[in-house]
């Protein structure tokens, strides 16, 4: 009988040696395979602009040596005759460590995707960064919570009462913080649907200003008068929002009135005069000008034109130029703008006239 035939824990030393060599070889092969795969993925990531290979590199880089060791030990244990309780214990340990490794991979995948998104959107849409990070945190919690339930089930624990308790507790917590949750989901809706982004000029009911930031609970707007307006995200989405940043051009409607004593020919020429004035200006497009109606003290005209850029200051510059040009043209032709007047006609009766003569 040789030394290799000695029995230790129901297995000869030869079997233990085979198991040890198998475990070491499998461990080294796994390390080499992981290094080779990561090298190829990094090389591929350097040649392409696709983010999936970068995400895979970031995820697989989180592979722990003890996970490879567990796989190697399980492979080596196949050469041994182990008691059922030992085999079950080894299996449970390997499953638990595998779940931990899956959790690490899942967390790194989520964090890598969040990082890629935030780096890309930090300049274009800084408001979405905070919300995306919050989504990443929620996803990580969900990953670890799911793996924890799987681990408890693997250990033979009954998780149905636990899930029931968590469901009841979750309902109670949701009712207690429903306003906060409403604002949180509204924030996510703003990020995903993008009714506005930072820098947009918006009008909400009677409030207007430039969006400064979008947080998890509130959105802050700098008003034209200088103060900061804070909106609850849920209340904000319930309102009708007018976003002036996203319009491509501005439609302008304005009216004016001229004196009733203006001749018919001058009245007929006014729409053409206004058209010439507007068409002579850059960044404008004439639509129409009409003698609209007879007002209480004026002949009323309505004009529609477009400013081809949404800038408010540009619109005011063009409107001012139109007003000054109309003032000059009308003055040259002797046409007067109307102002509120009232003419009273007094007619004497015959009896009153005769009485006054006597």
């Amino acid at each position: 009988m040789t030394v290799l035939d000695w029995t230790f824990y129901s297995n000869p030393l030869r079997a233990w040696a085979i198991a040890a060599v198998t475990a070491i070889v499998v461990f080294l092969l796994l390390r080499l395979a992981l290094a080779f795969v990561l090298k190829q993925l990094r090389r591929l990531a350097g040649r392409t602009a696709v983010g999936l290979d970068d995400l895979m590199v970031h995820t697989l880089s989180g592979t722990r040596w003890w996970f490879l060791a567990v796989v190697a030990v399980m492979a080596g244990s196949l050469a041994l005759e182990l008691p059922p309780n030992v085999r079950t214990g080894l299996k449970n340990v390997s499953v638990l460590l595998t779940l931990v490794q899956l959790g690490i991979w899942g967390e790194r995948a989520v964090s890598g995707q969040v990082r890629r998104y935030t780096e890309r959107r930090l300049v274009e849409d800084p408001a979405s960064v905070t919300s995306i990070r919050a989504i990443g945190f929620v996803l990580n919690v969900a990953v670890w919570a799911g793996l924890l339930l799987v681990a408890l089930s693997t250990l033979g624990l009954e998780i149905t009462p636990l899930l029931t308790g968590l469901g009841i507790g979750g309902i109670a917590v949701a009712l207690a913080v429903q306003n906060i949750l409403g604002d949180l989901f509204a924030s996510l809706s703003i990020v995903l649907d993008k009714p506005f982004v930072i820098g947009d000029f918006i009008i909400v009911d009677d409030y207007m200003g430039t969006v400064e930031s979008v947080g998890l609970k509130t959105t802050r707007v700098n008003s034209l008068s200088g103060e900061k307006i804070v909106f609850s995200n849920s209340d904000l989405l319930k309102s009708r929002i007018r976003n002036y940043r996203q319009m491509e051009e501005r439609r302008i409607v304005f009216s004016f009135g001229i004196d009733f004593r203006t001749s018919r020919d001058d009245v007929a020429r006014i729409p053409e005069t206004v058209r010439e004035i507007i068409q002579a200006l850059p960044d404008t497009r004439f639509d129409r000008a009409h003698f609209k109606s007879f007002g209480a003290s004026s002949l009323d005209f309505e004009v529609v034109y477009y400013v081809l850029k949404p800038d408010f200051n540009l619109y005011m510059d063009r409107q001012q130029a139109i007003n000054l040009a109309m003032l000059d043209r009308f003055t040259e032709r002797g046409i007067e703008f109307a102002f509120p007047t009232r003419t009273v006609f007094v007619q004497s009766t015959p009896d009153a006239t005769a009485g006054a003569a006597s």
Side-chain angles (χ1 to χ4, degrees), residues 204-225:
V204 182
D205 298 330
D206 296 330
Y207 304 98
M208 63 183 68
T210 303
V211 179
E212 180 189 61
S213 64
V214 180
L216 294 179
K217 181 173 175 56
T218 60
T219 294
R220 290 170 170 79
V221 174
N222 289 326
S223 70
L224 293 177
S225 54

Side-chain angles (χ1 to χ4, degrees), residues 8 18 50 99 108 151 161 186-187 196 238 244 253 256 311 316:
F8 179 75
I18 294 174
V50 180
L99 291 176
R108 289 181 69 87
S187 173
F196 55 82
K238 293 177 184 177
Y244 283 87
V253 180
F256 63 92
D311 184 65
M316 290 304 298

